[in-house]
Structures are given as structure tokens and as C-alpha cells.
Amino acid sequence: KAGVTQTPRYLIKTRGQQVTLSCSPISGHRSVSWYQQTPGQGLQFLFEYFSETQRNKGNFPGRFSGRQFSNSRSEMNVSTLELGDSALYLCASSIQPPNEKLFFGSGTQLSVL
Amino acid sequence: DAKTTQPPSMDCAEGRAANLPCNHSTISGNEYVYWYRQIHSQGPQYIIHGLKNNETNEMASLIITEDRKSSTLILPHATLRDTAVYYCIVRVGGNTGKLIFGQGTTLQVKP
């Protein structure tokens, strides 16, 4: 069974641009959550989706948004990029909440210049 | 936000048991405790979880105190490959709340 797939693996953007990251969960998993990881702040929760509905949201500005499709694939979007948005963005899937046995992808490393 | 407290770092000699503590004093009765680890540049990896009974799998053992306010992850024979950041997590706000990772414990296994 294929694992969680995140694309792209690396991304370089400039300030002010927007970016869309993609996550394909493990087949049969209906819950997807997103995390931002930086050296200073560690792993910070962004959102959690289940059955195309946002179930929870972390303490991030409105520039960070996400969605989940009917096939459980998810995307997150960051608009008006700032230097501080440079981070590893991790996606995790699980069968359904509240199941905390998460399977993580390898992440998308975003660099904002 | 975090409901868990862990020491920032620990050392362990190779071949010895590594005991990683976690405090979750505000945990609710039906909330599980989960442990993950993250090796540099990889996504976190699930290790083990438990509710009230001690649990063991091929990777580790989990000891949960009777009052459920704390737990200990035990790696019985630590190897250099166990060097990682270990996270103890619970869901903040019950089963409908947010899943929050704390700062974790950096475990350094030394030869």
C-alpha cells in the first residue's frame, strides 16, 4: 500500500507570491491533517480535514487555507508569502478522527526568498 | 495549546534502556496517549499508543500511571538509530479537539 504522497518535495518562492501544496493520503484514509515545522517553533498544527470538511484549525493567519476533495486528497494554499513562511510542511493521514495513528508524508520544503 | 510536557533532551548509552517521560496531567478519561518520533528530515513515525493499560509492541513499551497523568516510553535496548526527537501527544479539547505536538524530547543515543 502506497504511503502518504506530498508534492512537490521542494519549492522556492518569492515574497508576495502564493503557493499550493498537495497531499495524497493512504488509500482508505479519510482524514488529512497539515503541520508546519520550523526549527524555532517545532511542529505546529495547521488544519484537519475529514470528509471534505475542515474539522479543526490551528492558530495561523487567514493567508493559510486548505481543502479536501471527495477522493480525500488535500491541498493547502498560502497566499502573499512572507519570509517567515519558510518551513517544512507535513501532511498526515489517518483512517478517520479521532484516530491519532497518523501516517506522515516526507513533507514539502518551502523556501521563501 | 500543548497538553503534554516533556524534557527537552536526554542522553542514553547504546544498548541500555531509554526511558522518556511525559506529563499529561489534564488528560480526559477517554483520550489516548500517542508517541511518535522524528528522525532528521523525515516525517514523524508512529511508535505506540495507549489508554490506561501498559502496552508493548516491537518498537517500544508504554507505561501509563494509574491516574493517567503521566506516561513513560521505554526503548528497551537503544541503538544509534534511535537518536531522534520523541513526541508525546494527546488531542487538545477531547475527541473533537485539535491534535497538538509539543516540543518533544531529543534523545541522543551515544556509543
Side-chain angles (χ1 to χ4, degrees), chain B residues 35-66:
Chain B
W35 283 82
Y36 284 78
R37 73 180 183 184
Q38 186 175 25
I39 296 170
H40 184 61
S41 300
Q42 300 179 20
Q45 174 194 25
Y46 165 83
I47 300 173
I48 197 167
H49 73 281
L51 183 62
K52 56 178 72 174
N53 299 317
N54 298 337
E55 302 288 345
T56 296
N57 63 19
E58 65 280 1
M59 291 182 69
S61 294
L62 176 60
I63 308 297
I64 302 174
T65 57
E66 193 168 339

Side-chain angles (χ1 to χ4, degrees), chain A residues 1-2 24-31 50 71-72 93-96:
Chain A
K1 190 185 263 192
S24 293
I26 291 172
S27 177
H29 285 195
R30 297 166 59 199
S31 176
F50 174 66
N71 62 359
S72 295
S93 75
S94 65
I95 294 173
Q96 64 180 54

Side-chain angles (χ1 to χ4, degrees), chain A residues 11-25:
Chain A
L11 203 51
I12 299 175
K13 292 286 188 179
T14 57
R15 280 182 299 174
Q17 289 187 309
Q18 78 166 25
V19 67
T20 299
L21 311 182
S22 179
C23 173
S24 293

Side-chain angles (χ1 to χ4, degrees), chain A residues 1-72:
Chain A
K1 190 185 263 192
V4 177
T5 304
Q6 290 189 248
T7 56
R9 183 71 179 91
Y10 301 94
L11 203 51
I12 299 175
K13 292 286 188 179
T14 57
R15 280 182 299 174
Q17 289 187 309
Q18 78 166 25
V19 67
T20 299
L21 311 182
S22 179
C23 173
S24 293
I26 291 172
S27 177
H29 285 195
R30 297 166 59 199
S31 176
V32 172
S33 52
W34 288 88
Y35 289 82
Q36 181 198 65
Q37 186 170 34
T38 59
Q41 299 297 319
L43 272 161
Q44 295 191 87
F45 172 79
L46 279 158
F47 339 91
E48 180 185 16
Y49 287 90
F50 174 66
S51 292
E52 302 178 67
T53 301
Q54 187 178 86
R55 195 166 177 270
N56 276 299
K57 189 178 191 311
N59 298 324
F60 280 81
R63 300 185 296 107
F64 292 80
S65 63
R67 58 178 176 169
Q68 185 180 33
F69 302 96
S70 58
N71 62 359
S72 295

Side-chain angles (χ1 to χ4, degrees), chain A residues 68-82:
Chain A
Q68 185 180 33
F69 302 96
S70 58
N71 62 359
S72 295
R73 191 177 70 84
S74 178
E75 289 180 347
M76 67 162 284
N77 184 278
V78 187
S79 63
T80 319
L81 283 166
E82 301 177 359

